[in-house]
Amino acid sequence: MHTSSKLPLTLQMLQDAREKVKNSPLHVVRTPVVNINQTALLHHPSCDLFLKLENLQTTGSFKIRGVANQFAGRPRGGQFVTMSAGNYGKAFAYALKEYSSKGKVVMPETAPSSRAAIIASYGADVERVPQESLQLAVDNNVREHNMTFLHSFDDVDLMAGHGSLGFEILEDVPNLDVIVISCGGGGLLAGVSAAVKLQCPNVRIYGVEPEGACTMFRSFAEGKAVSMSVKTIAAGLAPPCAGSICYNICKEHVEDIVLVSDNDIRVAVSVLYNIGLVVEPSGAAGFAAVLGNKIPDVSNKRVVVVISGRNISLEELHDYPIGHNSNMRDYWVANMA
């Protein structure tokens, strides 16, 4: 069994965080786990496949879990700043409103304008800057406006809140073998892997990153958290670095990091849409890895994929091969077969 004596997340911390998330005023949902009817798919995975539907979560992604735990111990009426490409910012802005607080979300200029508009609609200020200037803009707000910085992934309270998802998976899928989780900075992967492995050490956990934003993959290879220039359609999986705390936890509990291409992700978004699920590119990366046979030794195994978010606009969906037709099948053969 993995030991966590040197790591910042203990089972007791994770259990305490789960209770805070359950009792949060942010209306965190216990999302369903569904066993996929494999006849609905163009490609039939060899595993017994379950989807944890965090695309049905409050604010449209898993992020509200970590935010609920971050805000649980903070007084109402504070002033906070964060940086986010969208999903964390949306959950953060929602929490500001519920906690009668003020704050700002610093966003990369590359983030979809639709997400900036949604964040602003909750009453949060939005500042858009070049990707390389995100931390500088946050530091300026902390210094000049006396704001408290809440990190969007490399924060222990956040990870512990995300761990609540792991408890639910273990309760809903007995005799589980594998969990597959999309990875950006690593907060979700760290929190869920700790919650699961500290209770069920034989469950294998894989993180999935886009090839163009493989910070955790490179961190595993280099033995430390690294930064890189990133480019991918999965904006939520494209921070310029892996979290250093996240890396240490993931290195302890995660089997491996696997990579998928942007084409793999496009197909996964389309397949999920065709079975009735609206999922953003970042939320579909884990599913793409299973469809593309990137996860080893899953034949006849019980596998859970975390579908981490739904925040994609109709305009963005136009870029995907949606529809049960020969074009979709051709696209599948060309890009996934």
Side-chain angles (χ1 to χ4, degrees):
M1 179 173 182
H2 291 272
T3 62
S4 61
S5 59
K6 65 179 181 298
L7 297 175
L9 281 182
T10 65
L11 185 57
Q12 185 63 58
M13 290 173 61
L14 290 157
Q15 291 168 335
D16 291 346
R18 188 193 187 185
E19 291 305 308
K20 291 177 183 177
V21 170
K22 286 169 65 175
N23 296 316
S24 171
L26 300 185
H27 311 105
V28 179
V29 176
R30 182 179 179 127
T31 54
V33 176
V34 297
N35 191 195
I36 286 297
N37 177 0
Q38 296 183 357
T39 61
L41 301 177
L42 294 174
H43 170 67
H44 295 175
S46 60
C47 59
D48 189 11
L49 181 60
F50 298 81
L51 305 182
K52 175 64 169 171
L53 299 181
E54 285 294 290
N55 58 317
L56 303 181
Q57 186 58 262
T58 301
T59 72
S61 82
F62 72 93
K63 294 286 190 179
I64 196 68
R65 294 176 181 270
V67 168
N69 197 44
Q70 281 182 315
F71 274 80
R74 299 181 183 277
R76 292 177 177 267
Q79 290 194 89
F80 303 97
V81 63
T82 193
M83 52 183 171
S84 168
N87 282 349
Y88 178 84
K90 187 177 179 182
F92 171 88
Y94 177 79
L96 291 177
K97 185 176 181 180
E98 292 294 321
Y99 277 85
S100 303
S101 299
K102 295 181 179 181
K104 177 183 284 188
V105 180
V106 179
M107 301 186 71
E109 292 174 335
T110 53
S113 58
S114 60
R115 295 179 192 178
I118 291 171
I119 290 169
S121 74
Y122 286 116
D125 294 330
V126 175
E127 181 179 351
R128 296 174 70 96
V129 302
Q131 180 83 37
E132 62 272 14
S133 300
L134 288 170
Q135 190 63 57
L136 177 63
V138 166
D139 292 342
N140 287 340
N141 280 282
V142 170
R143 183 176 60 254
E144 296 175 10
H145 303 293
N146 198 31
M147 289 179 155
T148 299
F149 174 45
L150 296 184
H151 206 290
S152 58
F153 54 89
D154 207 30
D155 177 272
V156 172
D157 289 336
L158 184 85
M159 295 176 220
H162 293 335
S164 61
L165 194 157
F167 286 98
E168 293 174 14
I169 290 174
L170 290 178
E171 291 165 359
D172 291 343
V173 186
N175 304 312
L176 176 62
D177 297 300
V178 177
I179 302 176
V180 182
I181 304 171
S182 301
C183 180
L188 176 64
L189 184 59
V192 174
S193 66
V196 171
K197 297 290 280 191
L198 291 173
Q199 300 177 82
C200 299
N202 292 328
V203 174
R204 289 183 287 131
I205 300 178
Y206 292 88
V208 180
E209 289 187 310
E211 292 173 347
C214 55
T215 54
M216 191 63 76
F217 177 87
R218 288 182 54 182
S219 297
F220 269 42
E222 297 184 26
K224 62 181 180 180
V226 303
S227 302
M228 64 177 284
S229 177
V230 295
K231 184 178 181 180
T232 175
I233 62 170
L237 302 182
C241 63
S244 58
I245 303 172
C246 297
Y247 163 74
N248 287 327
I249 294 170
C250 290
K251 191 66 175 176
E252 180 76 10
H253 296 306
V254 174
E255 196 82 12
D256 201 3
I257 307 294
V258 302
L259 303 181
V260 292
S261 69
D262 279 358
N263 276 340
D264 295 338
I265 293 171
R266 287 189 183 95
V267 171
V269 169
S270 302
V271 172
L272 289 165
Y273 186 88
N274 289 336
I275 62 173
L277 298 172
V278 176
V279 182
E280 65 189 83
S282 301
F287 187 66
V290 173
L291 291 184
N293 298 314
K294 304 292 180 70
I295 309 298
D297 189 25
V298 294
S299 182
N300 300 316
K301 298 293 197 304
R302 291 166 70 82
V303 178
V304 173
V305 175
V306 177
I307 303 298
S308 59
R310 70 167 181 266
N311 293 312
I312 184 171
S313 68
L314 287 174
E315 291 76 17
E316 291 173 277
L317 276 173
H318 288 162
D319 295 331
Y320 293 81
I322 302 298
H324 290 288
N325 54 41
S326 59
N327 289 337
M328 177 63 204
R329 292 178 184 275
D330 291 345
Y331 193 91
W332 174 276
V333 170
N335 292 284
M336 295 292 280

